[in-house]
Amino acid sequence: MSNARRLRKSVLNVALGLCLTSLAAPGFAQAVTGAVAGRANAGDTITVTNTATGQNRVVTVGKDGTYRVAQLPPGDYTLTAGSGKPIAVSVSLGGTTTVNLSAGGDVANLDAIQVVGSRVVNRVDVRSTETATNVTREEWARLPVDQSLGAVALMAPGVVGSGATFGGLTFGGSSVAENAVYINGLNVTDPYRRQGFSSVPFAFYKEVQVKTGGYSAEFGRSTGGVINAVTRSGGNEFHGGVEVTLEPADWAADKKDHFHHDGTIDERDRTSRDKSPLYKTNIWASGPIVKDRLFFFAMYEKRDNDSKDIDTNEAWKTTSDNDFWGAKFDWNITDNHKLELLAFSDKADTVTSNYDYNWDTAQFGDKLGESNAGSGGDNWSATYTGHFGDNFTAKAMYGVNKRSATSGSPWDADCSIVTRSGSYTAAFGPATMQEGCHPTNSSISSRYDKREAARLDFEWALGDHLLRFGLDQEVMDSNSSVVYPGDGMSYQAQAATPGGSLPNGAVVPAGVTAIVDARHYVTGAPVSTKAQAFYVEDNWNVTPNLLLSLGVRADKFENTLASGATFAKADFSDMISPRVGFSWDMKGDGTTKLFGNAGRYYIPLTNKLTDYFGGGTTDEHTYYVLNGWTQQTDPVTGAPYLAPNLGAQIGPVNTEGNAPAPDDVRTAVSRDLKQVFQDEYILGFQQAISQAWSYGINATYRKVTRAVEDVRTNHVEGCDWYSGDWPILNPGETNTLWCPDTNSWVTFDNSKDGYIASGSGAIMGYKKPRRTYKAVEFQIDRAWDDKWAFNASYLWSKSEGNIEGPVNSDTGYADTNLVQYYDHPAVNERYGVLFNDFRHQIKLRGSYKLNEMWSFGATLSARSGGPITAFGVRWPNDNRSAGGPGEFSGGGSGWLCVANCSSLNRELVYTPRGAFGRMPWVTSLGLSATWTLPVEGVDLKARFAVYNLLNRQVKVNVHSRYESTPGNQMPYFGEGTVWQSPRYMNLVVSWNF
């Protein structure tokens, strides 16, 4: 056979090619690696060599004619069978590249392969039963994809940027608080609310995998989706580079000012003069410390993203200091043993100054105050991978993820809060000079989160079986506090009547007409969650063309309070997650695949819930005679201000508001609290149309039938003590609470008991929560062949239920597991379309290389708008409110009052979810052009990208509160609250050497 013929075989694949890496990929040991597997002559030696590091892995083909090389970092390799010719192979993140070899050591099945670049790439992965999208650095460099991990995730079908006021990503109809994010196997998801995640610069990533469903048993603690990213590493050659990103404010379209139908300005005030330019420069270097053995990759990024927020009468200028550093070290101790170290810091600090502002003259006035905020933290992980013989692999990882959220101001150290009550102003007139020196009279808040993660993963190949098993543990600590600035007291001047009584039982002395209420308030304390899990999975090749994946995962967790007492816990037997899947290579050549899976996924409680119930609070009031005011000097500005002159203390300190961290939560948490889970079913099909084109279709069904929430409980049969509490329950199910009246446990069915209506006295329970998601997805893909590529997807979906999840986007409530669904039975009464019901989603992306100098990319996303649902305040036979008068106060009822609204006999009309139509389609078109210097040996590129080219700024959320009180309609129901971001552009210039 000619060398040309052998070369052609080496660049062909036994399946679809690179295009179908976006349709499905499996997971391996937290999926930070990939594998090469296939069939060859029994007894042959297979050598796989990393082209960047020179690391060799050698295995022997088994007696059954199969081989597998596992735990390979994503990248380019050469595969050699015996003394045959090397075959170029690409290994993708979480994927298995299948290479079947002929007797001569060449690639077999030429009729089923395609030419893609110069190497064998991932095929229709018959070893996968999940749905995922892989995006490499090379692909996103060809497209107008913004520089964030979230932007990459949005390329995957079924992933949508939430229109909620608190933002986030929704996967497959789930809420934004149900996802997990990993970097090199380290979980970096926010442990406090499970919203947001630690992040690194775009240029630090090597490949990202977005798992939208069906992920295997080693993944848990998520009922939404998983973003799985790996960072770049060094090799045997020294490389470096500089990348500059320019995003001037003048390159962005103005945000529109929004007005209500009555002509008044929107609550967010003006936005048309807001500016948020971005400039950043990162410098990176990589190479060997010891050739073939020890490598490094390091990056530093300098950022400048100062911004202006300009309203009608005030303006804010924000400066940021959030430079990034990160490094990755890889030590190939031997060819079979490797140690990796990742470290990065995403600490960020901002300073915001606010000023008087004149809209008509566009002039800034006096500086009114200044505040600072901090976020992020230092992160690191160490990972060991060992190969013991041909068939056994072990992996161990330990890492620390830190996050923070702090706020304060330069006045905090010296200026206490000083306010006056309305009664004081009425009695003594308005202030003639500034009282107190603190510009905002706001508290100092801080929160520090720390996750210590450790895990062990093992793979053992036994003939037709690939056994995978492991265990992991995460200890998540959150330490939060809210304190008053200055001396820790808040001073309020109040009018008083001599002889009158004070809340501490004291009497106002004779002749005293003004007092000071000095409040000392401190809340927050350390809380912790320990989450543990183990899993076992057997990937069984029943036949050469049929794979069964049989797995089970067991989770446990314990939330502890500041006192050390257990708040909530679940044992392994309480959280069993079976995962079953199959993959059928229908033709036996990797071109046509039928796959499916069914699984259960659990999600634990957040630290926010524990902190809310068990942090402890000091809330004390001390009363003094007010002996007038003393003029003092502002320590920051030098301006004069008035401070209250405290006289004699009146009576003892009132400590009734103190709530120490509890050590007994039997009345606050159901004894047998059961955890939230989601059942998911997926059936899919993939096929190659030709050597370049392929398509896939799959259907998904998800169902949630449980919630953990604080539930208004004002009636429990057999225990009158429950007259207005909010214990943590499984609403709509049987719960057991402690009854202080009888000193015994009381069990009740919350679907029938727990709430007594005001006025009518009717006793009722709460509906059991339910959320379903149904979707059908179609994709067609054209693989990149160094000339052009194309991908199109269409997703039809329907999300229904009576609860969105652990947050409430309808009413803008972001405290996970503490939303208002169960503040009243009316709130969860309606079953219908949910906030994240986006019925149609279309995503297109393509890239084209004109010549060696110019290439172009385009993306188009379009989704139908979400439903508009009305929230009233009452329901039949009850005088108690189901929702408050404010936009974000309480949940709300589907019943709207139309007559006799001031009595219990009011006339109400029922409105289902989505009864008031839908918001408009959200469409975004992106274009990019990349210029490459056409000089051999010089890698200089400039990419100019435009996002939301058509500058559509449609509303993506609306005022959903219909009534403030029965019959009194809110003035702005159905009008916008959140809008699509306007058009913006950036230029990225990179020089690599």
Side-chain angles (χ1 to χ4, degrees), residues 416-452:
S416 299
I417 294 175
V418 177
T419 61
R420 53 163 55 205
S421 69
S423 66
Y424 186 84
T425 299
F428 300 99
T432 57
M433 181 184 293
Q434 179 179 330
E435 296 170 352
C437 58
H438 202 284
T440 63
N441 282 336
S442 57
S443 300
I444 306 170
S445 66
S446 65
R447 191 185 78 246
Y448 298 93
D449 302 315
K450 178 183 178 182
R451 171 190 281 107
E452 293 185 75

Side-chain angles (χ1 to χ4, degrees), residues 268-289:
R268 279 141 291 274
D269 211 301
R270 301 278 187 170
T271 56
S272 59
R273 295 181 186 174
D274 295 351
K275 304 294 181 182
S276 185
L278 171 65
Y279 302 92
K280 62 182 181 180
T281 302
N282 72 61
I283 303 173
W284 65 272
S286 68
I289 300 174

Side-chain angles (χ1 to χ4, degrees), residues 652-702:
V653 177
N654 184 354
T655 61
E656 290 181 355
N658 287 348
D663 54 13
D664 186 347
V665 295
R666 291 178 298 176
T667 62
V669 185
S670 177
R671 181 179 64 178
D672 300 317
L673 192 70
K674 297 178 284 291
Q675 301 312 308
V676 178
F677 65 88
Q678 177 171 266
D679 288 330
E680 179 185 71
Y681 307 90
I682 298 176
L683 182 65
F685 174 81
Q686 297 171 18
Q687 186 177 41
I689 303 173
S690 67
Q691 290 187 345
W693 290 89
S694 56
Y695 77 96
I697 186 170
N698 66 70
T700 300
Y701 177 75
R702 288 177 158 189

Side-chain angles (χ1 to χ4, degrees), residues 193 263 308 550 601 622 856 934:
R193 285 189 174 94
K308 295 179 182 179
L550 309 172
Y601 302 83
T622 307
F856 304 92

Side-chain angles (χ1 to χ4, degrees), residues 321-589:
D321 180 11
N322 55 354
D323 298 348
F324 168 90
W325 64 262
K328 173 84 184 306
F329 296 91
D330 295 84
W331 180 20
N332 295 336
I333 305 169
T334 69
D335 284 342
N336 290 321
H337 299 275
K338 181 178 181 178
L339 184 64
E340 301 169 71
L341 176 64
L342 169 71
F344 69 90
S345 176
D346 64 345
K347 287 182 178 178
D349 296 293
T350 62
V351 176
T352 300
S353 302
N354 65 303
Y355 301 84
D356 275 327
Y357 185 78
N358 187 305
W359 183 265
D360 294 331
T361 63
Q363 296 295 314
F364 288 85
D366 294 335
K367 184 176 180 178
L368 303 177
E370 184 175 294
S371 62
N372 52 65
S375 63
D378 296 330
N379 308 268
W380 67 273
S381 67
T383 304
Y384 162 78
T385 305
H387 304 278
F388 301 89
D390 291 351
N391 301 324
F392 192 81
T393 301
K395 192 166 196 171
M397 189 277 291
Y398 178 82
V400 174
N401 166 231
K402 292 184 178 180
R403 294 171 57 86
S404 62
T406 62
S407 66
S409 83
W411 284 265
D412 289 341
D414 301 307
C415 295
S416 299
I417 294 175
V418 177
T419 61
R420 53 163 55 205
S421 69
S423 66
Y424 186 84
T425 299
F428 300 99
T432 57
M433 181 184 293
Q434 179 179 330
E435 296 170 352
C437 58
H438 202 284
T440 63
N441 282 336
S442 57
S443 300
I444 306 170
S445 66
S446 65
R447 191 185 78 246
Y448 298 93
D449 302 315
K450 178 183 178 182
R451 171 190 281 107
E452 293 185 75
R455 61 178 300 122
L456 293 171
D457 297 280
F458 304 94
E459 292 188 9
W460 190 7
L462 292 173
D464 294 331
H465 298 267
L466 174 63
L467 299 178
R468 304 177 57 249
F469 52 96
L471 53 94
D472 79 283
Q473 174 177 288
E474 293 184 358
V475 178
M476 294 163 281
D477 298 321
S478 294
N479 192 345
S480 65
S481 70
V482 177
V483 300
Y484 287 148
D487 61 3
M489 308 291 286
S490 172
Y491 300 95
Q492 185 179 72
Q494 301 175 351
T497 302
S501 297
L502 296 177
N504 63 351
V507 176
V508 178
V512 174
T513 58
I515 64 172
V516 171
D517 177 358
R519 184 185 186 188
H520 178 52
Y521 180 85
V522 179
T523 188
V527 296
S528 183
T529 299
K530 178 186 285 187
Q532 298 170 303
F534 68 86
Y535 71 93
V536 179
E537 184 176 270
D538 180 14
N539 291 292
W540 175 24
N541 279 104
V542 182
T543 71
N545 300 331
L546 178 62
L547 171 75
L548 290 183
S549 178
L550 309 172
V552 64
R553 176 186 175 93
D555 282 87
K556 69 177 293 188
F557 75 90
E558 181 177 14
N559 296 73
T560 53
L561 306 174
S563 63
T566 296
F567 176 74
K569 65 184 298 184
D571 292 324
F572 287 124
S573 59
D574 300 323
M575 302 174 73
I576 302 293
S577 304
R579 312 274 176 89
V580 179
F582 76 93
S583 178
W584 177 26
D585 184 359
M586 300 175 70
K587 295 183 178 180
D589 60 3

Side-chain angles (χ1 to χ4, degrees), residues 163-176:
T165 53
F166 42 84
L169 297 174
T170 168
F171 287 67
S174 64
S175 76
V176 301

Side-chain angles (χ1 to χ4, degrees), residues 810-856:
D810 281 307
T811 58
Y813 209 86
D815 283 342
T816 309
N817 294 120
L818 287 168
V819 293
Q820 310 100 331
Y821 290 117
Y822 297 96
D823 284 1
H824 191 285
V827 182
N828 73 309
E829 175 193 20
R830 292 182 288 180
Y831 181 89
V833 292
L834 295 172
F835 183 86
N836 295 315
D837 179 52
F838 308 116
R839 198 60 53 87
H840 306 282
Q841 298 175 45
I842 300 169
K843 296 183 180 182
L844 309 176
R845 64 180 187 266
S847 51
Y848 175 72
K849 183 177 179 181
L850 180 64
N851 51 43
E852 294 303 316
M853 183 182 295
W854 290 100
S855 59
F856 304 92

